[in-house]
Amino acid sequence: AWRGEPIIVADIDDHPYWQPFLEHTQRANIHACWSVPFKDDKDSVLGTFAIYHRKPCEPTPADLVLINEFASLTALAVQKVLAAESLKQAAAVFESSREGVVITDLEPRIVAINRAYTEITGYTKDQVVGKNPKVIRSGRHGQLFYQAMWESINRTGGWRGEVLDRRKNGEVYPKWLIIAAVKGDDGAVSHYIETHFDLTERKRSEERINQLAFFDQLTG
């Protein structure tokens, strides 16, 4: 695995790699090992596929072809499991995030939201999936504001700034919005991810601090 290349040991008893383990191999009655590493798309070793034999022997060309086929299948299986685990972890992070997160396609139409988005906006998944993210726009920003936003996204791959949006109950609220373009393996943009930080409490705290700093509490 460390070398990242096939290691064909026709006779374990005489091979230098196996000398520290002869006590174990003799007890297990194995005397040959044909080992082939399997790798991911980036050529990183994921593990090894090995065949052990009861007697010293070398693989035929047909054996090597078969072993390599099995190693390739094993690589696919392992990568599938790793990808599933990675998606599971990403889904857990997505759902547990305290910030509202929206994933859109290129239209853009909402394809997924997390729990925090519902808590912040009041909109459930059934109410917004398939719709344009502007469903929560407050109307406080003009067309030039959004035009500049998309020019930045198209030019740099992202945008961030403060936005006034509207909750389902009609309340206008401030938020810090981060938009990032997500690219596929071909380098083309495939999705957008929007992260929302509700600034309502922060704004109230700032207003309270401003009152304490510049206004007399008795006279106002």
Side-chain angles (χ1 to χ4, degrees), residues 10-25:
D11 189 345
I12 283 176
D13 297 339
D14 293 332
H15 200 281
Y17 292 171
W18 286 91
Q19 294 308 303
F21 312 106
L22 289 182
E23 178 184 348
H24 304 292
T25 59

Side-chain angles (χ1 to χ4, degrees), residues 115-131:
R115 187 184 302 113
Y117 177 89
T118 297
E119 293 171 353
I120 293 170
T121 68
Y123 287 97
T124 65
K125 184 185 302 183
D126 292 339
Q127 293 170 329
V128 296
V129 168
K131 295 183 178 180

